[in-house]
Amino acid sequence: MADLIAQGPQNYHRWRREVPDAAMRRDVVIGRSDADWNVPWDPMISRAHVRLIPQADGRLEVIAVASARNPVYHQGRHAVRFVLVPGDHFVIGKTTFTLAAATGKRSPERLGDGAAEDEVDVTENVFDHVALRRKHFRDVNARIDVLTRLPDLIASSDSDQELLVRVTSVLLQSTPSAEAVSILSAGDLQHDPEAPIEVLHYDNRSATLGGSPISRRLVQRSIEKRESILNVWASGDSMLTTSAFTAREDVDWAYCVPLRTQACRGWVIYITGKLPDTEMMTGSGSPVDISEQLHDDVKFAELVGTTMASLQQSRQLQRRQAAMSNFFAPIVMRALASGDSEKVLQPREAELTVMFCDLRGFSSRSEQDSQQLLQLLSDVSDALGVMTKHILGYDGVIGDFHGDAAMGFWGWPLAQDRSIIQAAGAALAIQAEYHRSDLGFRCGIGLAHGRAVAGQIGTKDQVKVTAFGPVVNLSSRLESMSKRFGAEIILDEAARAALLAAGRHGFRLRRLAKVRPAGFASPVEISELIGEAAIGTHQVTDALIADYEAALDLFCASDLDGALRLFRSLPTWDGPTQMMIKQILSGDSEGDVIDLPK
């Protein structure tokens, strides 16, 4: 496979990319931005300038994009369509694009066989990376420009491949004596001497130079020692007699720099070069001299490798967080980012506000749409999405799904002084969106406030992040009561008290009754949270709330006749009013407490 090399006006304006195989039938667009291959340094290049079409014989057809502003020059003439052969080039603006011959670099060979490699006159120098970083560059001025641009240059890479291209280009242009730069993935070479070495990216100074030799032994030792290692295979006159043991005569030395992060496990930077002709002919370049001369280059490669490895580690963390975001709420992700995950997710007792939210109208819709189950599934998913969107949007955690209901909670993993405010805001937002939408559903919501255990709860076979405790059960019971009372959002006494203590923040409340939920020994005073959304075509006014609560006080004082008269004076469309009238007429009340079946 051939490569295309782009070279701009500055040494660091460069990249080398592998041309896709013709059998893949994949065209490539070159442009300044948002193209397949970008050339950001040249303003003469349009956003999309030329299209490359790989040919079966190793050639490359180039077609100028009609919208490109500036001309493309091939063989000194303006051209809109032409074919490149290996070694040929074309020019746009101040950038030259050269088609390099196939290098065979995807299958690197070891330096001779095992016995021959051991017999080669190799001088090895191991650099301690800590000491290397402490030692100053001999000529910092020659490096300062690249060093100041290095973090932005690497961090602005929009993909892993772009990162590799930029790193190899920077190393090649900043290492004067280098002939070729490779970034390799050695995989399990440390444990398996025969493990394959993959070339992640490769670049060299010549459009015609083939793939550089790679010493498996050098790569293996560098990974084992976790240090940069320089090998000089020959020096002086002996170089002429031992060159047969090198993979090619135009390479005299190589150094290998390991990348020391889990994200780049087994990755190394491998740079090869040739001694200047003057040193070869005079024999003045001893291995010690060569090591000293290459000191700055090895140090620079260490710096580039560390920067790249850190960026890869950061990107890997971002990808993991992106994947985890499908399973964890944003507030959990923030907590995970600031601490140890096991400690953050460990179950612990906390002050929680718990919400159960259930769809109303699901059963009737299921019967009506029994012949359109996929559409019903889509509608239910959209309806559940309303719940989850607002629970997460108000910094809540999705604890579980129960059929057509969702459970959320606030107050974990980070303590939230305003958990009841957030939960109430989410409940009203859910209610309002159902009333505005055409999904055909309404909701019943229960909110309870109190102590519970939250965290990663489950068995050894399956765990999930959820909450556990009586307050969770109470929230579920309150949601069930909402249907009986005809009130969409019902709170327990603790949630009402917390909301009042927080100053209500514009929330309107109505005391409904004192009830004993199924499975509970003690009664609970419940209230309705009233939003701006209409119940049918009617609004619950402040006057209605005052009259209802006055009637409720009569009921609690055992003045059932007075309570009934006042309740009957209230609007017939008000669900809680009708519930209380039925309760009084049934005669099932135990004092002021209403016992509710499950």
Side-chain angles (χ1 to χ4, degrees), residues 320-523:
R320 286 178 179 175
Q321 289 180 330
M324 290 170 64
S325 65
N326 294 324
F327 303 96
F328 293 119
I331 191 170
V332 179
M333 294 300 297
R334 292 199 297 271
L336 289 172
S338 61
D340 178 70
S341 59
E342 290 188 7
K343 185 176 181 180
V344 169
L345 298 178
Q346 184 177 10
R348 63 181 179 276
E349 194 171 326
E351 195 78 15
L352 300 184
T353 301
V354 182
M355 170 196 290
F356 262 82
C357 184
D358 183 62
L359 289 181
R360 294 285 183 263
F362 175 73
S363 298
S364 59
R365 280 286 301 275
S366 298
E367 186 176 354
Q368 294 170 10
D369 298 342
S370 60
Q371 302 303 315
Q372 297 177 312
L373 292 180
L374 288 178
Q375 182 59 48
L376 175 63
L377 175 62
S378 176
D379 291 345
V380 171
S381 297
D382 291 342
L384 289 173
V386 173
M387 301 179 191
T388 58
K389 176 179 71 174
H390 292 298
I391 291 173
L392 297 176
Y394 280 82
D395 274 344
V397 178
I398 303 295
D400 208 349
F401 289 98
H402 300 265
D404 55 351
M407 186 268 277
F409 58 93
W410 287 257
W412 179 95
L414 302 177
Q416 295 168 287
D417 295 335
R418 295 164 51 87
S419 66
I420 184 59
I421 302 294
Q422 297 288 81
L428 292 175
I430 293 170
Q431 180 193 57
E433 185 161 345
Y434 280 135
H435 279 275
R436 292 194 307 266
S437 74
D438 56 359
L439 292 171
F441 295 106
R442 290 292 183 265
C443 64
I445 297 175
L447 288 176
H449 186 77
R451 302 294 292 180
V453 173
Q456 202 171 51
I457 298 172
T459 68
K460 65 178 182 180
D461 300 314
Q462 183 176 5
V463 296
K464 58 185 176 182
V465 170
T466 189
F468 170 81
V471 69
V472 179
N473 298 333
L474 178 57
S475 175
S476 177
R477 296 290 187 270
L478 295 177
E479 176 271 310
S480 299
M481 292 179 204
S482 65
K483 183 182 295 186
R484 181 180 293 270
F485 274 88
E488 290 189 342
I489 307 173
I490 294 182
L491 297 77
D492 74 336
E493 189 173 357
R496 174 189 173 91
L499 204 56
L500 292 174
R504 290 200 183 189
H505 293 265
F507 299 123
R508 298 167 63 225
L509 299 169
R510 166 166 58 166
R511 288 188 297 114
L512 292 180
K514 184 179 287 187
V515 302
R516 184 180 290 110
F520 282 73
S522 302

